[in-house]
Every structure is written in structure tokens, then in C-alpha cells.
């Protein structure tokens, strides 16, 4: 059973930290256009969820940088434990993990989702365990990241909140559901 589940049947639901143009007029989906976003409130290092299984069903339109579905650092400090289940760069959809470099900049590692048509709804998944992120789409694993993986709050790091954003007037992202299941066991 999911510890967190949002179907967007009543607008933005639990992702009520919002900005920009948000269309929640159709029950069961939210579309972001222009410079817009929605997320759970990133209020502290313990906000959101830690190690476990994350799922987001979404469609990213525009085939260029702009839309993203992600887990944002619970303390709202970037770069940090930002994990993108899907975003687009140079016409390719991929998952990525951002981390702070030794100089304080943005370091990242990516997993490309070859053959995925991001303009159609897909279930993007991320399994976050100590030192490991496993990215998948529609039940298929596409890759694993094991370097610079942040710890969750319970283990001395920062938890993550669900989010979606769009920062390009030529793109959009439609989100249908999000869920988190605590699968991490000692």
C-alpha cells in the first residue's frame, strides 16, 4: 500500500505549493504551461519522503527542455538531492540526479530513456535506496546511478518532496498521478 498517493481528482491536491499557469479543470490531471510548477511544501530536511519506491504518471510535450517531473530537496536548497524522474534535453527524455559539487555548483548524472515517446502518458519510476537510484519507465529498468546519491533524512541527509514544473512557453507537462511506497527495510 502506498504511503503517499495523489490522483489529482480535486485539483493540485497535496501539491499545493504552486506558481504560474496551472490547468486543473479536468479531474484526474493537472497541466502546467509557461513558467509554472507545483510541489509539496519543501519546509525542512524531513519534509516529504525518504528511501523507497516513487511513481509518477505524466506526459511531457514539446520535445525540448522545459518540462520535468521530480523529487525536490525537502529543505528547498538546490543543488541537493534533486532527482528528476523525467525531463528533456536535446530532444531526449531522461532521468537525472543532481548533487552539489565541491565548488557548490550543479553536478549531475543521467539515465536516458531510449525509445520512449514522452509526449504520451508513461509511468516513470525511481527506487531510492542507500547509495543507489534505479530509474524505470512502464515497468522497464533503464539504468542505475550509484555515485553522489544523497542520503534520506533518517540516515543523515534530506528527504524529497514531489514536484512538477515547466519553464518553457513552447512545452507543457500533464501529470495524472504520483505515489510513494516505503520499501526500504533495515
Amino acid at each position: 500500500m502506498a504511503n503517499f498517493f495523489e490522483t489529482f481528482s480535486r485539483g493540485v491536491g497535496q501539491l499545493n505549493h504552486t506558481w504560474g499557469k496551472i490547468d486543473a479543470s479536468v479531474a484526474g490531471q493537472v497541466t502546467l504551461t509557461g513558467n509554472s510548477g507545483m510541489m509539496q511544501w519543501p519546509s525542512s530536511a524531513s519534509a516529504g519522503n525518504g528511501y523507497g519506491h516513487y511513481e509518477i504518471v505524466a506526459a511531457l510535450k514539446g520535445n525540448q527542455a522545459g518540462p520535468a517531473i521530480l523529487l525536490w530537496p525537502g529543505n528547498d536548497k538546490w543543488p541537493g538531492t534533486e532527482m528528476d524522474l523525467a525531463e528533456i534535453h536535446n530532444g531526449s527524455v531522461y532521468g537525472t540526479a543532481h548533487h552539489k559539487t565541491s565548488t557548490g555548483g550543479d553536478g549531475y548524472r543521467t539515465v536516458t530513456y531510449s525509445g520512449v515517446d514522452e509526449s504520451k502518458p508513461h509511468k516513470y519510476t525511481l527506487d531510492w535506496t542507500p547509495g543507489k537510484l534505479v530509474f524505470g519507465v512502464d515497468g522497464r529498468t533503464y539504468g542505475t546511478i550509484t555515485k553522489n546519491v544523497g542520503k534520506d533524512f533518517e540516515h543523515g541527509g534530506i528527504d524529497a518532496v514531489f514536484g512538477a514544473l515547466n519553464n518553457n512557453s513552447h512545452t507543457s507537462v500533464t501529470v495524472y498521478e504520483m505515489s510513494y511506497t516505503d520499501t526500504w527495510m533495515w
Side-chain angles (χ1 to χ4, degrees):
M1 177 178 214
N3 301 79
F4 172 92
F5 190 66
E6 181 57 65
T7 62
F8 304 105
S9 61
R10 293 189 175 102
V12 297
Q14 299 172 75
L15 279 73
N16 56 9
H17 177 42
T18 63
W19 62 95
K21 188 172 180 189
I22 299 171
D23 180 358
S25 62
V26 177
Q29 69 183 53
V30 176
T31 300
L32 308 174
T33 57
N35 186 7
S36 58
M38 63 180 184
M39 69 172 61
Q40 294 172 287
W41 280 94
S43 57
S44 69
S46 64
N49 301 293
Y51 296 147
H53 178 77
Y54 294 83
E55 295 182 354
I56 301 177
V57 177
L60 292 76
K61 306 249 172 123
N63 200 26
Q64 55 185 298
I69 51 173
L70 59 125
L71 301 173
W72 185 255
N75 65 356
D76 203 22
K77 295 194 182 349
W78 189 90
T81 308
E82 177 192 342
M83 297 163 276
D84 300 325
L85 280 74
E87 67 180 322
I88 301 171
H89 184 69
N90 292 334
S92 296
V93 63
Y94 64 92
T96 189
H98 293 267
H99 64 276
K100 187 183 285 190
T101 65
S102 61
T103 60
D106 175 28
Y108 58 91
R109 302 196 184 285
T110 62
V111 171
T112 301
Y113 303 140
S114 298
V116 172
D117 178 358
E118 74 279 352
S119 68
K120 302 202 178 333
H122 293 282
K123 182 183 287 185
Y124 296 91
T125 60
L126 175 69
D127 288 295
W128 181 21
T129 57
K132 187 175 176 181
L133 299 172
V134 179
F135 291 84
V137 182
D138 297 332
R140 177 180 167 202
T141 298
Y142 277 83
T144 301
I145 294 173
T146 57
K147 294 190 189 264
N148 300 306
V149 175
K151 296 178 181 178
D152 72 357
F153 180 74
E154 186 176 341
H155 298 93
I158 301 165
D159 282 351
V161 297
F162 276 103
L165 67 86
N166 190 73
N167 60 16
N168 182 329
S169 62
H170 303 291
T171 62
S172 68
V173 58
T174 300
V175 184
Y176 301 93
E177 66 181 49
M178 296 180 170
S179 67
Y180 162 79
T181 305
D182 182 357
T183 57
W184 171 248
M185 298 190 196
W186 285 90

